[in-house]
Amino acid sequence: MRFLLLFLLLLVAAGAPAQTLPPNLIHAGYDWDGGRHQRLPVSAAEAVLPAIILKNFTSLEYYYDAGRKDLRLFATEHRIVRVNTSEGIERFNKIVVPVLESGAVVDIKARTISPRGEVRDVKAADMKELKDQDGGRGYRVFAVDGVEKGSEVEYFYTRERPLNYFGNEVLQGETPARDVTFELISPTVLTFETRVYHGPPTVADTTLPGHRVLRLALKTVPALREEAFAQMKAQRMRVAYKLAYIASKGAARQFTWADASQYVYRSTTAQSKDDAKAVAQVLAAAKLPATGPLAERIAAAENYVKLNFNLEESTSPVLAQVVASHNAPEAGFTRLLAALYRSMGIDYELVVTSSRDATPFDGSFDTWDSLDHFALYFPATGQYLAPGRPEYRYGMLPAEWTAGSGLFIKSVALGTIESAVGRVKDIPALGADQSPQDLDVAVAFSPDLSTSTVQLRQTLGGYPAVQIQPYWPLIPEAKRTELLQQLQKSIVPDASNFQRLGVRNAERGVNPLDKPFIVEGQCESASLLDKAGPRYLFKIGTLLGSQTELYQTETRQFDVENEHNRRYLRTIRFDVPPGYSVRNLADLNVDVKAGPDAVKPVYDFRSSYVQQGQTVTVTIAEHYREVRWPKADFEAFRAVVNAAANWNKVVLVLDKKG
């Protein structure tokens, strides 16, 4: 929402929040049951959990302050948590309340109830103010002392929030909950809409005169557990909300995608005279090509900006200041690159989306809370660019922005007036072959079979390369050798006597889609071969490196969601020692796949070998070609993942001939 910050600030009145609640706020008199001295009942199963939330109440109230003549937003939150173990105590023995920088929580109470019915109130003197590392948003943090196993921790507070007309409230986490309630209250002149994800819809409550109320009340909300190949945060039950109608504006829907498109486009492309001079200055310094292949011209502008400007979120996005300081936030990078491409006559569309690992973009619900990340799309090439992410290059977006949808905004001419239109479209994921993690291994056994010399070439492209390639030039020389050795040890854990360690395609500004990051070297291992009586055991499977295992016994909660598509091609070569033969070469042959097309499966793990004389060459191909896979067919996906894990355990038996 960085682009929207200025707009939202214009909507917020400048007055400082008061230290007392408005008397006619709906929950101004909110309180707990002061006469309760006994814990709420829990079942035997709940009593052995680390913790269970017994009440989770959240109320958001949009309140018109007649005295100040402005709209304000208040939140009331009430929690009761039973903590049963040390883990539960550690998780819930302190309370963190965000507060406005210019004000404090206006009403807050906390207490504990012990298993013996002892009630202990938390004193105001126990509260400690902390600031985040950026010195901005404040927190009121206070510890709940004396919490013991079986205690209840109860607290509620009402605080003023910065005014915002869209938001998200998460209702589910790793702790199971009972009595979960969310409500949104507003004056009747404002109509909000909600969208509940992974839960039932909110319902309107008409019993509160003069107000609109949307409420979701649930008896229980189960805990979510971590699962491999899933985005747990995105699976949480949450409520998204937005202001949809204002009575004075009739039936006109507010904050639509069309409105967002106009605002984002204007914010990105508007230039003052100083801004235009700054852009011309960059163009002159960059000496960008005026002709040639379009992709190369796009990449040249991106490379110049990302190599000559620093990402600094605390700086101004104003172009004149960006160019003067060579520092810019994500919004500044987007504005500068957009201005350069306009000057170069290169057509692009602005793309706005959110991360699918937390709040996937939902084009059917036009909340501006989804406008988190900004990309550029080039219709002539069909490629994307992440302007505010210096580690990425043309053709790549962060994986969590892909395999979903976003708002695509393009300029249109209405006579002499320039405007913008937006349309929700899919953002495709990169193909598996664009993110290779390949391996070429040659193993030579010493004459006495006591050690092995291993030559390795690791090839990382696409997303695997982004983890290291952009940062390599910044790594001190003394640390590079250590890092290279660690990369070798990821394949050969006991690697020693390193030789010829080196990398290719490690210069600044390299695009991993064009030039993969290649690590080459040679090392020795004493553990690849084990002597077992007259025979030797060659642990060839370990040369795949560590593999994920999917041997869960619980019922699968979520559909499979990979971070990105990827492929692994490995070649392993070795010479059978003179006088020996390999008993079980057939164990190297594996063919496991998932998907309706056996010739072009969605996922596969295939390995085979060829022996020519004493030389054995093993080829292994593993592909993950789709980001998502239904949990109804989870076993097929798991079989592919486990095929790699099982191959990781393959041991070849070398028998002495005769």
Side-chain angles (χ1 to χ4, degrees):
M1 297 253 305
R2 293 179 181 89
F3 270 107
L4 306 179
L5 180 59
L6 176 62
F7 177 73
L8 296 177
L9 288 176
L10 295 176
L11 297 175
V12 181
Q19 298 303 305
T20 57
L21 290 174
N24 53 347
L25 196 69
I26 296 300
H27 291 304
Y30 191 90
D31 204 353
W32 54 37
D33 180 1
R36 185 170 72 90
H37 291 82
Q38 297 298 322
R39 300 171 302 165
L40 297 176
V42 298
S43 68
E46 293 170 336
V48 298
L49 296 171
I52 179 170
I53 299 171
L54 301 176
K55 185 178 185 66
N56 184 352
F57 173 80
T58 301
S59 176
L60 303 181
E61 181 173 356
Y62 286 85
Y63 171 81
Y64 180 73
D65 191 318
R68 291 175 25 166
K69 292 184 170 53
D70 64 7
L71 191 67
R72 300 166 69 183
L73 174 60
F74 291 89
T76 298
E77 301 186 34
H78 185 185
R79 307 283 185 270
I80 303 175
V81 184
R82 169 78 76 91
V83 291
N84 299 316
T85 67
S86 298
E87 177 188 343
I89 292 172
E90 178 65 24
R91 192 184 305 173
F92 292 103
N93 67 351
K94 55 181 161 299
I95 304 168
V96 181
V97 184
V99 297
L100 292 175
E101 186 174 1
S102 55
V105 177
V106 291
D107 191 14
I108 184 165
K109 292 174 69 173
R111 68 181 178 180
T112 64
I113 302 179
S114 75
R116 298 172 299 283
E118 299 167 344
V119 180
R120 177 181 297 181
D121 291 332
V122 176
K123 306 298 183 184
D126 295 332
M127 297 185 184
K128 297 179 181 179
E129 290 273 1
L130 297 179
K131 289 282 187 180
D132 66 9
Q133 293 180 348
D134 295 329
R137 184 177 55 179
Y139 296 92
R140 174 149 290 185
V141 180
F142 54 99
V144 185
D145 296 327
V147 180
E148 58 184 284
K149 294 178 182 179
S151 293
E152 273 185 9
V153 178
E154 180 173 13
Y155 63 92
F156 74 84
Y157 56 79
T158 299
R159 67 182 176 98
E160 184 168 6
R161 288 187 180 182
L163 185 62
N164 197 335
Y165 295 129
F166 350 87
N168 268 281
E169 291 294 323
V170 176
L171 305 180
Q172 188 176 27
E174 298 178 24
T175 303
R178 297 183 345 204
D179 189 13
V180 176
T181 302
F182 167 83
E183 65 179 22
L184 190 152
I185 305 170
S186 65
T188 53
V189 295
L190 301 179
T191 300
F192 280 82
E193 291 184 356
T194 60
R195 178 70 58 87
V196 181
Y197 297 92
H198 312 295
T202 60
V203 296
D205 181 347
T206 60
T207 62
L208 196 60
H211 296 82
R212 296 184 187 274
V213 182
L214 294 172
R215 182 178 290 113
L216 175 63
L218 301 168
K219 291 183 178 180
T220 61
V221 174
L224 297 180
R225 67 176 187 274
E226 291 281 358
E227 276 188 330
F229 301 100
Q231 302 290 354
M232 193 185 85
K233 285 186 177 180
Q235 298 293 334
R236 298 175 299 182
M237 186 187 304
R238 61 183 174 91
V239 183
Y241 58 90
K242 66 157 289 181
L243 177 60
Y245 299 96
I246 301 174
S248 62
K249 297 187 177 182
R253 187 173 178 83
Q254 303 299 302
F255 302 113
T256 63
W257 290 141
D259 296 332
S261 300
Q262 296 268 358
Y263 174 73
V264 169
Y265 187 80
R266 289 196 305 269
S267 300
T268 304
T269 60
Q271 293 183 22
S272 67
K273 289 183 179 178
D274 288 341
D275 292 337
K277 290 179 182 178
V279 173
Q281 180 182 333
V282 174
L283 280 169
K287 297 181 174 58
L288 300 173
T291 59
L294 180 58
E296 292 181 10
R297 297 177 63 210
I298 294 170
E302 176 193 33
N303 221 32
Y304 180 83
V305 169
K306 291 185 175 180
L307 292 180
N308 289 277
F309 290 80
N310 304 311
L311 181 65
E312 180 53 67
E313 285 298 336
S314 62
T315 58
S316 170
V318 175
L319 286 179
Q321 297 181 38
V322 167
V323 175
S325 67
H326 278 244
N327 296 313
E330 182 179 350
F333 272 86
T334 303
R335 289 173 175 174
L336 180 54
L337 276 168
L340 292 177
Y341 292 131
R342 281 170 65 92
S343 298
M344 297 168 69
I346 296 175
D347 184 38
Y348 66 85
E349 295 179 13
L350 285 164
V351 182
V352 200
T353 190
S354 56
S355 295
R356 61 177 164 85
D357 58 356
T359 54
F361 189 91
D362 180 1
S364 68
F365 188 60
D366 51 354
T367 168
W368 290 19
D369 201 52
S370 298
L371 305 181
D372 289 331
H373 303 297
F374 290 78
L376 299 178
Y377 171 68
F378 301 92
T381 65
Q383 297 298 321
Y384 296 80
L385 182 153
R389 296 295 294 270
E391 70 273 33
Y392 288 90
R393 285 298 182 271
Y394 171 73
M396 289 188 73
L397 297 178
E400 63 272 19
W401 302 4
T402 70
S405 58
L407 181 64
F408 286 64
I409 304 165
K410 66 178 180 179
S411 64
V412 293
L414 303 174
T416 59
I417 300 174
E418 184 179 22
S419 186
V421 295
R423 187 159 61 112
V424 174
K425 296 193 293 185
D426 289 339
I427 304 174
L430 290 182
D433 289 331
Q434 292 176 287
S435 288
Q437 194 162 348
D438 299 341
L439 184 64
D440 188 275
V441 184
V443 181
F445 305 120
S446 64
D448 63 357
L449 303 184
S450 61
T451 60
S452 307
T453 299
V454 184
Q455 295 185 41
L456 293 170
R457 183 173 72 247
Q458 300 172 67
T459 302
L460 308 178
Y463 291 114
V466 167
Q467 306 304 312
I468 184 171
Q469 192 173 32
Y471 309 106
W472 188 262
L474 307 176
I475 299 173
E477 191 66 39
K479 290 288 185 182
R480 291 181 182 178
T481 298
E482 178 184 346
L483 184 54
L484 287 174
Q485 291 179 358
Q486 290 174 357
L487 288 170
Q488 302 274 295
K489 287 185 176 182
S490 68
I491 307 300
V492 184
D494 72 328
S496 63
N497 192 21
F498 296 96
Q499 303 170 41
R500 299 199 302 272
L501 289 176
V503 299
R504 285 192 274 161
N505 302 329
E507 60 271 19
R508 293 184 69 205
V510 168
N511 189 331
L513 296 178
D514 300 328
K515 294 183 177 181
F517 188 74
I518 298 174
V519 181
E520 296 176 303
Q522 181 174 298
C523 60
E524 292 184 359
S525 170
S527 66
L528 277 177
L529 275 180
D530 279 343
K531 192 168 182 5
R535 61 180 61 93
Y536 282 86
L537 306 179
F538 175 27
K539 291 177 282 189
I540 189 173
T542 62
L543 294 174
L544 282 190
S546 179
Q547 300 293 307
T548 300
E549 295 183 351
L550 274 179
Y551 297 119
Q552 67 182 62
T553 57
E554 304 94 339
T555 302
R556 181 76 182 182
Q557 295 176 108
F558 312 126
D559 289 343
V560 168
E561 184 167 332
N562 293 286
E563 183 180 353
H564 54 79
N565 298 320
R566 60 204 184 279
R567 78 122 199 262
Y568 307 86
L569 299 180
R570 295 104 160 187
T571 301
I572 303 173
R573 294 179 302 279
F574 68 95
D575 285 341
V576 179
Y580 285 83
S581 61
V582 183
R583 176 192 302 180
N584 57 327
L585 281 174
D587 291 351
L588 299 172
N589 294 326
V590 176
D591 187 358
V592 179
K593 46 188 174 286
D597 189 336
V599 178
K600 295 182 179 179
V602 177
Y603 311 116
D604 64 358
F605 181 93
R606 306 182 190 192
S607 68
S608 61
Y609 75 93
V610 173
Q611 183 170 10
Q612 293 181 325
Q614 292 293 98
T615 301
V616 177
T617 301
V618 185
T619 55
I620 306 150
E622 184 178 2
H623 295 86
Y624 297 86
R625 297 181 176 90
E626 294 289 343
V627 168
R628 296 181 179 88
W629 183 257
K631 67 179 180 181
D633 200 13
F634 176 66
E635 291 303 321
F637 175 81
R638 177 159 64 175
V640 174
V641 174
N642 284 346
N646 293 335
W647 207 97
N648 199 219
K649 302 179 180 69
V650 170
V651 176
L652 295 180
V653 180
L654 278 59
D655 288 323
K656 195 168 183 62
K657 293 180 179 178

